[in-house]
């Protein structure tokens, strides 16, 4: 059998195995994994390199208005290019509904923003901000179109009430949708924020105490309970506290259909970064806020234990200028500074360097956390997220020994919160469906090369239901529900 391309002599790593072999690609898919492939038109010599599934970035904000109405600096072109230079071959940004907007119109808006621009294959998670009965009726159609996950907020102006959350979860649970949630208790944050500002504590560093760990823990506990009552699967985004992770761990140990992620900023940065001179701390304002070094160690423990299935960037790029962080002006308090920081290109090098190179996680764990688990949770396996016969040839080839000091990235940002860190291990070549996207520092794909990925519903096989007694006819006097 002739191959369009062969990747020869690399160390192949999947989420479960590591072995040396050649990979043969035809028509954009992996068709051969063998000791030796000699009949390819195009050969990449991967001797001394690691060959992995391309990363899947499952939490990023691209060409999206924030809750404060600020447009991200990255569009689908710069965002996907930056993601590719960071070892990703697929990403799943958000398509955010505006108040009063139908879901069909929301998706159309984002199709216009993504198509012809993305160098990566992409899908969307919807963001639901206005869950009217008509909008909830639209949800099953959205799932049928292959957009099988969506996010709600428990804080910000775009938050949903518990009653709305239950209605949403219930529809999602019945129709194969996965609800993602930003879990922080809004009133606790608002109360703390007002107290701090009223006390004259205005600088960026006060963002950290304004969003106590307790607010995340309370909201995660509530979200898990609501999802259990509604009998729906749940994904907790950007877990930043050990207490929150413990709640997830307990729910998972009890068979709950709950998944969660953390992000590089909670593993590699601390609230001390918010206390930089002048307004520099604004660069590190994200929500939930940065915590401390003890928290970092605890979160690593939960990454290792499998409580946290993904390490996602939560790339939310707002520049350190009047278009971004200071959109509300310069004479402002920490509550008026845009929330979010970039990281789409740094996520995988950071996780490889600090995780694999420093011995905190195995190479196979790295693949799981960076790609395979996202493909599994968000309905893209076996096409994406693994190296197997028939899978898309979405492949990242890494030099595990190259050491660089992190600096400027390929995004549209004017700062990198991880700048100055020494990172060992960088992706050298990234393929999307068998075509080079980046190689040795050059961009080889053209905008529009990416395709929309239609996703399946989350597979709940082996995830026991945890019926709430009051929903059981034997315990509720045969109530009609
Ligand atoms: O501060 C952050 N993370 N901004 C992006 C929006 C969100 O909450 O994920
Ligand atoms: Zn969030
Ligand atoms: Zn986010």
């Amino acid at each position: 059998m002739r191959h369009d391309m062969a990747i020869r002599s690399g160390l192949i790593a999947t989420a479960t195995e590591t072995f040396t072999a050649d990979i043969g690609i035809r028509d954009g898919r992996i068709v051969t994994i063998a000791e030796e492939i000699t009949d390819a038109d195009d050969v990449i010599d991967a001797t001394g390199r690691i060959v992995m599934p391309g990363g899947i970035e499952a939490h990023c904000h691209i060409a999206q208005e924030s809750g404060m109405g600020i447009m991200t600096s990255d569009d689908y072109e710069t965002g996907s290019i930056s993601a590719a230079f960071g070892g990703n071959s697929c990403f799943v940004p958000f398509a955010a509904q505006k108040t009063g907007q139908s879901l069909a119109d929301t998706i159309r808006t984002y199709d216009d923003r993504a198509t012809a621009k993305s160098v990566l294959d992409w899908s969307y998670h919807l963001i639901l901000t206005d869950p009217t009965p008509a909008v909830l009726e639209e949800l099953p159609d959205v799932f049928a179109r292959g957009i099988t996950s969506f996010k709600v907020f428990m804080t910000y102006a775009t938050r949903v009430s518990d009653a709305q959350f239950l209605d949403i979860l219930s529809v999602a649970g019945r129709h194969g949708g996965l609800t993602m949630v930003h879990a922080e208790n809004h009133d606790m944050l608002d109360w703390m924020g007002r107290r701090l500002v009223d006390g004259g504590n205005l600088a960026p560093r006060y963002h950290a105490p304004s969003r106590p760990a307790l607010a995340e823990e309370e909201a995660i506990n509530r979200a898990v309970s609501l999802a259990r009552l509604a009998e729906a699967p749940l994904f907790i985004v950007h877990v930043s506290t050990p207490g929150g992770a413990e709640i997830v761990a307990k729910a998972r140990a009890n068979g709950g259909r709950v998944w969660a992620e953390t992000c590089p900023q909670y593993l590699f940065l601390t609230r001390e970064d918010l206390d930089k001179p002048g307004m520099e701390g604004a660069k590190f304002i994200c929500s939930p806020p940065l915590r401390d070094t003890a928290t970092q160690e605890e979160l690593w423990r939960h990454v290792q234990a499998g409580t946290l299935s993904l390490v996602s960037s939560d790339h939310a790029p707002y520049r350190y200028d009047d278009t971004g962080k200071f959109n509300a002006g310069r004479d402002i308090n920490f509550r008026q500074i845009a929330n979010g920081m970039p990281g789409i290109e740094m996520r995988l090098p950071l996780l490889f360097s600090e995780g694999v190179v420093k011995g905190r996680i195995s190479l196979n764990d790295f693949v799981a956390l960076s790609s395979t688990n996202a493909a599994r949770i968000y309905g893209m396996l076996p096409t994406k997220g693994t190296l197997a016969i028939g899978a898309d040839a979405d492949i990242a080839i890494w030099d595990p020994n190259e050491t660089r000091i992190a600096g400027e990235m390929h995004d549209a940002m004017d700062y990198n919160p991880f700048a100055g860190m020494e990172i060992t291990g960088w992706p050298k070549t990234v393929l999307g469906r068998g075509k080079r996207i980046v190689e040795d520092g050059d961009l080889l794909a053209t905008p529009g090369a990416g395709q929309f990925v239609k996703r399946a519903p989350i597979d709940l096989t082996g995830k026991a239901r945890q019926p709430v007694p009051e929903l059981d006819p034997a315990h509720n006097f045969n109530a009609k529900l």
Side-chain angles (χ1 to χ4, degrees):
M1 182 203 301
R2 266 213 87 67
H3 296 90
D4 300 330
M5 180 188 280
I7 302 170
R8 301 216 43 208
S9 309
L11 183 70
I12 296 175
T14 69
T16 48
E17 273 106 27
T18 310
F19 54 96
T20 301
D22 292 359
I23 292 180
I25 297 165
R26 204 174 56 208
D27 297 331
R29 293 187 310 130
I30 297 171
V31 290
T32 308
I33 298 176
E35 279 189 3
E36 194 172 28
I37 298 173
T38 53
D39 59 352
D41 297 339
D42 184 4
V43 172
I44 297 178
D45 179 7
T47 308
R49 305 228 156 141
I50 304 176
V51 181
M52 297 185 260
I56 298 176
E57 170 59 78
H59 185 157
C60 54
H61 303 269
I62 306 289
Q64 186 210 314
E65 296 89 352
S66 71
M68 291 173 167
I70 309 169
M71 182 52 104
T72 56
S73 65
D74 278 309
D75 63 10
Y76 273 78
E77 188 171 327
T78 58
S80 65
I81 289 171
S82 185
F85 276 102
N88 298 285
S89 54
C90 179
F91 68 160
V92 191
F94 293 96
Q97 180 203 19
K98 291 191 168 158
T99 306
Q101 193 177 25
S102 72
L103 301 185
D105 192 48
T106 305
I107 294 165
R108 228 178 349 259
T109 302
Y110 281 84
D111 280 344
D112 288 345
R113 293 177 186 184
T115 313
K117 285 216 161 195
S118 183
V119 301
L120 295 187
D121 285 0
W122 82 92
S123 182
Y124 315 110
H125 311 289
L126 204 66
I127 290 180
L128 215 52
T129 58
D130 190 14
T132 61
V135 164
L136 291 191
E137 267 183 36
E138 265 193 284
L139 260 185
D141 289 341
V142 174
F143 303 153
R145 289 176 64 167
I147 300 170
T148 51
S149 51
F150 66 94
K151 184 169 72 161
V152 296
F153 291 98
M154 294 171 84
T155 183
Y156 298 135
T158 47
R159 68 191 173 279
V160 295
S161 69
D162 288 356
Q164 288 173 317
F165 200 174
L166 281 167
D167 283 341
I168 292 165
L169 284 160
S170 173
V171 174
R174 274 182 282 123
H175 294 277
L178 176 61
T179 309
M180 306 158 75
V181 62
H182 174 135
E184 288 184 288
N185 178 309
H186 181 78
D187 287 343
M188 287 164 92
L189 307 182
D190 191 49
W191 187 75
M192 281 297 288
R194 278 190 285 111
R195 282 183 76 187
L196 284 158
V197 169
D198 289 350
N201 310 288
L202 309 184
R205 62 176 171 273
Y206 297 110
H207 179 70
S210 79
R211 301 181 92 102
L214 202 58
E216 177 175 287
E217 292 159 13
E218 188 284 324
I220 290 179
N221 193 47
R222 184 154 37 100
V224 167
S225 304
L226 295 174
R228 194 169 161 210
L229 182 61
E231 302 193 290
L234 183 70
F235 188 94
I236 320 274
V237 299
H238 51 45
V239 173
S240 70
T241 57
E246 293 292 340
I247 294 160
V248 173
K250 188 164 167 243
R252 287 170 63 78
N254 289 338
R257 298 163 167 192
V258 177
W259 291 261
E261 68 181 6
T262 191
C263 310
Q265 45 272 38
Y266 306 116
L267 296 173
F268 307 119
L269 303 173
T270 70
R271 66 166 155 238
E272 302 307 322
D273 291 298
L274 283 161
D275 194 17
K276 299 231 187 290
M279 293 299 277
E280 283 279 310
K283 294 177 179 174
F284 299 89
I285 286 189
C286 62
S287 295
L290 304 178
R291 310 284 183 189
D292 55 19
T293 45
T295 296
Q296 291 178 340
E297 288 315 310
E298 289 291 297
L299 289 176
W300 271 114
R301 199 169 58 73
H302 282 289
V303 168
Q304 291 157 343
T307 310
L308 302 167
S309 302
L310 310 180
V311 175
S312 306
S313 72
D314 193 5
H315 181 75
Y318 303 108
R319 290 168 65 95
Y320 186 65
D321 65 19
D322 296 349
T323 67
K325 290 287 176 187
F326 305 112
N327 195 272
R330 293 276 165 172
D331 186 20
I332 51 176
N333 66 60
F334 67 88
R335 301 187 80 190
Q336 298 162 299
I337 296 171
N339 277 220
M341 66 171 73
I344 204 163
E345 196 168 336
M346 291 296 303
R347 170 181 82 114
L348 298 183
L350 279 165
L351 188 63
F352 188 90
S353 189
E354 292 293 316
V356 180
V357 176
K358 295 204 171 158
R360 288 176 166 124
I361 55 172
S362 70
L363 185 56
N364 309 106
D365 291 339
F366 172 81
V367 175
L369 290 161
S370 63
S371 181
T372 312
N373 289 349
R376 193 184 307 284
I377 292 166
Y378 294 122
M380 290 185 265
L381 271 180
T383 310
K384 300 211 177 278
T386 192
L387 302 180
I389 305 294
D392 282 354
D394 286 7
I395 298 173
I397 304 173
W398 284 61
D399 180 345
N401 300 313
E402 184 182 334
T403 297
R404 281 190 229 158
I405 304 296
E408 209 174 305
M409 298 285 109
H410 294 83
D411 55 18
M413 286 297 291
D414 53 357
Y415 75 96
N416 172 0
F418 306 100
M421 286 184 69
E422 186 178 280
I423 309 277
T424 298
W426 288 89
K428 305 298 286 183
T429 303
V430 176
L431 307 180
R433 282 176 286 102
K435 297 264 185 307
R436 288 172 175 82
I437 304 174
V438 296
E439 190 163 61
D440 294 329
D442 292 325
L443 175 69
L444 300 176
T446 45
Q451 290 178 5
F452 175 74
V453 181
K454 193 169 177 200
R455 296 184 287 116
I458 187 166
D459 181 1
L460 298 173
T461 310
K463 282 276 163 196
R465 291 177 65 224
Q466 278 189 294
V468 173
E470 290 78 2
L471 295 177
D472 178 352
H475 286 84
N476 65 15
F477 310 105
N478 292 307
K480 282 200 185 116
L481 288 171

